[in-house]
Amino acid sequence: MRKQIAAANWKMNLTLQQGEELLDAIISKPHSLQPHQQAVFAVPFPYLFMAQQKLSGKQNVFVAAQNCYSKKSGAYTGEVSVEMLQSLNIPYVVIGHSERREYFQESNQLLADKVTICLENKIQPIFCCGEPLQIREANTQNEYVAKQLAESLYHLSAEQLQQVVIAYEPIWAIGTGKTASSAQAQEMHAFIRAQLSAKYGASVADAISILYGGSVKAANAVEIFGQPDVDGGLVGGASLVADEFVAIINALK
Ligand code: 13P
């Protein structure tokens, strides 16, 4: 079975102490991760080391960064390189979140460079895609997402692509309380997989985990994760509440 992932995206929330308390609370609650299931915590940069230490030795639980820079090293004040993340043994980094695209003008081309440098350094990108409301209203979301995939991923070899996790996050469902229906999520996930299949072949596409993001919570996770092409979720708000996120982990199929 494909890897099923419950990924927390803390975004720019919590103090160090609050982050420690949240992780302690989540670890202390009963959750059962089967071998094909993972819990991932994308925490702010200053908390990576703390999270890595707290979660070390926990089976199928991993720490992720929320971003990285596209260059190897050098005079880029304030940026964080993939080599730095690798030196902390961080296995995942979120790339191209819609908030990075919107507020920091991250283009498909820049994201292609970020994906490449992650893979060159053996860090798995969690690559985000998804359309804004006006695109959904115009019913052109398929073309929009296909372009994001083509411009940021299709330079990869099949072997490289298999290291990528994709997160479909319709922007109109992020932080709005408005979730895509499970049918809408399934439809787009199946479309993404079909696109990957056309480019890389069915066996490659079938092995790639595609997460859904946008107002996932304990109350809707079972239904959304139950869709055949949905392989877990990338969760913002509900990942900041221990009981909610544990229930979301336990909703993985
Ligand atoms: P919410 O779960 O708060 O809608 O955020 C989704 C998201 O952006 C996760 O990356």
Side-chain angles (χ1 to χ4, degrees), residues 13-222:
N13 291 299
L14 308 177
T15 62
L16 176 64
Q17 292 72 22
Q18 289 168 334
E20 288 182 303
E21 281 169 24
L22 178 59
L23 284 180
D24 283 337
I26 291 171
I27 297 166
S28 69
K29 289 182 197 300
H31 56 270
S32 51
L33 285 165
Q34 295 170 38
H36 68 285
Q37 297 173 334
Q38 296 187 354
V40 173
F41 293 87
V43 304
F45 288 130
Y47 309 163
L48 285 171
F49 192 66
M50 173 281 286
Q52 192 76 317
Q53 292 208 313
K54 244 184 214 313
L55 301 174
S56 79
K58 300 269 177 283
Q59 286 289 313
N60 299 341
V61 179
F62 300 98
V63 178
Q66 297 177 11
N67 182 31
C68 66
Y69 197 44
S70 57
K71 305 280 189 208
K72 189 170 153 45
S73 63
Y76 302 103
T77 302
E79 292 296 330
V80 172
S81 76
V82 169
E83 271 183 1
M84 293 172 188
L85 300 177
Q86 195 188 31
S87 71
L88 290 174
N89 292 318
I90 302 297
Y92 286 112
V93 55
V94 178
I95 296 290
H97 191 280
S98 60
E99 289 147 17
R100 304 280 332 157
R101 293 172 185 263
E102 181 178 355
Y103 304 132
F104 304 96
Q105 287 75 47
E106 297 199 356
S107 66
N108 290 345
Q109 182 51 55
L110 174 74
L111 300 177
D113 292 344
K114 290 190 177 191
V115 166
T116 301
I117 199 162
C118 286
L119 293 171
E120 283 171 357
N121 289 278
K122 309 257 177 301
I123 294 188
Q124 289 189 259
I126 300 175
F127 176 77
C128 302
C129 58
E131 79 285 355
L133 183 61
Q134 65 272 28
I135 295 288
R136 172 63 65 163
E137 284 175 347
N139 199 28
T140 52
Q141 64 273 10
N142 287 3
E143 293 85 338
Y144 188 92
V145 170
K147 188 168 188 286
Q148 290 179 320
L149 298 176
E151 293 186 357
S152 298
L153 297 182
Y154 286 3
H155 62 292
L156 301 175
S157 67
E159 200 182 322
Q160 285 177 313
L161 187 82
Q162 278 169 312
Q163 299 305 311
V164 176
V165 172
I166 293 180
Y168 168 61
E169 299 205 311
I171 298 171
W172 46 272
I174 295 178
T176 57
K178 208 192 266 182
T179 321
S181 68
S182 51
Q184 281 173 319
Q186 168 57 24
E187 191 178 27
M188 179 56 86
H189 283 226
F191 172 76
I192 291 171
R193 205 178 298 288
Q195 293 291 112
L196 298 177
S197 179
K199 170 79 181 164
Y200 290 96
S203 66
V204 172
D206 283 346
I208 291 181
S209 301
I210 307 178
L211 317 185
Y212 169 79
S215 299
V216 173
K217 43 185 186 282
N220 59 25
V222 170

Side-chain angles (χ1 to χ4, degrees), residues 205-244:
D206 283 346
I208 291 181
S209 301
I210 307 178
L211 317 185
Y212 169 79
S215 299
V216 173
K217 43 185 186 282
N220 59 25
V222 170
E223 177 170 352
I224 295 172
F225 296 175
Q227 300 303 308
D229 284 291
V230 178
D231 305 309
L234 181 56
V235 186
S239 76
L240 302 174
V241 181
D243 285 338
E244 280 280 314

